Amino acid sequence: SPQEVAVSRETYPVWTANSGNGTASMIAKDRSVINIKIDINPGSVAVFSKGSQAFFAGPKDKILVMVDMRDGQSTTKIVKMSGIGADVKGMATTPDDRGVIVVHPDLHAIGIFDGKVMRLQALVKVPALPVRCLVTDDNTFVLAICQKGKALSVIEMRSVFP
């Protein structure tokens, strides 16, 4: 069953993280659905602007999964993450399709990955229990809500991607 949904800047494709069965679904403009086995129980999803690349993380898995549909076939890449999240990790991508942001509630940190090479660029400590994040439209900042810390954390992206 879908746990989380992400929409590309062009509306389609739409991606869902399907909790419970270890799959992701890509819904195309013609409403056709492709289900893809991704080897984790995904709880969160984020997509690059055209929607052909989607990123998934789960509440119990220490990996980030990228599904690439640019050539019409699904290719899956996996990168080990340094943290495990409490409940569901919040995720976002940068508008320039370079960064993938992953919230690590248990670590009180935000992981920033280079989505082009699938490598961790930074793990930034934030106040207690970050749960959701977004990136400003101009790629300048990552904003993260930290519930227990009662704070909005701001990370300047040029400190991560100079």
Side-chain angles (χ1 to χ4, degrees), residues 33-86:
V33 178
I34 298 171
N35 294 310
I36 302 159
K37 187 82 174 150
I38 60 172
D39 298 325
I40 66 168
N41 189 17
S44 197
V45 58
V47 299
F48 276 165
S49 62
K50 292 192 185 302
S52 58
Q53 292 169 282
F55 301 87
F56 299 87
K60 306 249 183 268
D61 303 289
K62 293 184 179 182
I63 59 175
L64 175 66
V65 175
M66 190 254 309
V67 177
D68 189 340
M69 294 290 291
R70 286 179 292 182
D71 66 0
Q73 301 291 321
S74 68
T75 302
T76 304
K77 293 182 183 175
I78 296 173
V79 65
K80 291 185 187 283
M81 290 193 289
S82 59
I84 182 169

Side-chain angles (χ1 to χ4, degrees), residues 10 16 21 29 40 67 89 98 104 112 137 141 148:
E10 299 173 3
T16 63
N21 66 2
K29 191 172 190 172
I40 66 168
V67 177
K89 298 174 183 80
R98 182 169 181 196
H104 297 279
I112 302 174
D137 285 343
F141 300 107
K148 284 188 181 174

Side-chain angles (χ1 to χ4, degrees):
S1 64
Q3 172 76 24
E4 187 83 22
V5 64
V7 179
S8 70
R9 290 196 185 264
E10 299 173 3
T11 307
Y12 285 96
V14 173
W15 287 86
T16 63
N18 303 323
S19 179
N21 66 2
T23 66
S25 296
M26 185 186 83
I27 299 105
K29 191 172 190 172
D30 66 2
R31 309 295 194 275
S32 61
V33 178
I34 298 171
N35 294 310
I36 302 159
K37 187 82 174 150
I38 60 172
D39 298 325
I40 66 168
N41 189 17
S44 197
V45 58
V47 299
F48 276 165
S49 62
K50 292 192 185 302
S52 58
Q53 292 169 282
F55 301 87
F56 299 87
K60 306 249 183 268
D61 303 289
K62 293 184 179 182
I63 59 175
L64 175 66
V65 175
M66 190 254 309
V67 177
D68 189 340
M69 294 290 291
R70 286 179 292 182
D71 66 0
Q73 301 291 321
S74 68
T75 302
T76 304
K77 293 182 183 175
I78 296 173
V79 65
K80 291 185 187 283
M81 290 193 289
S82 59
I84 182 169
D87 297 322
V88 174
K89 298 174 183 80
M91 294 179 67
T93 55
T94 58
D96 66 357
D97 290 345
R98 182 169 181 196
V100 180
I101 317 305
V102 180
V103 175
H104 297 279
D106 285 354
L107 294 176
H108 311 297
I110 305 297
I112 302 174
F113 292 81
D114 185 326
K116 300 292 185 186
V117 294
M118 292 295 287
R119 182 177 52 232
L120 181 66
Q121 289 294 113
L123 188 65
V124 181
K125 289 291 189 181
V126 296
L129 202 60
V131 291
R132 293 281 181 237
C133 64
L134 62 84
V135 181
T136 58
D137 285 343
D138 61 1
N139 286 317
T140 303
F141 300 107
V142 172
L143 307 174
I145 296 170
C146 303
Q147 284 186 334
K148 284 188 181 174
K150 297 181 182 174
L152 177 66
S153 292
V154 180
I155 302 166
E156 191 169 16
M157 286 300 289
R158 71 177 174 189
S159 67
V160 178
F161 293 115

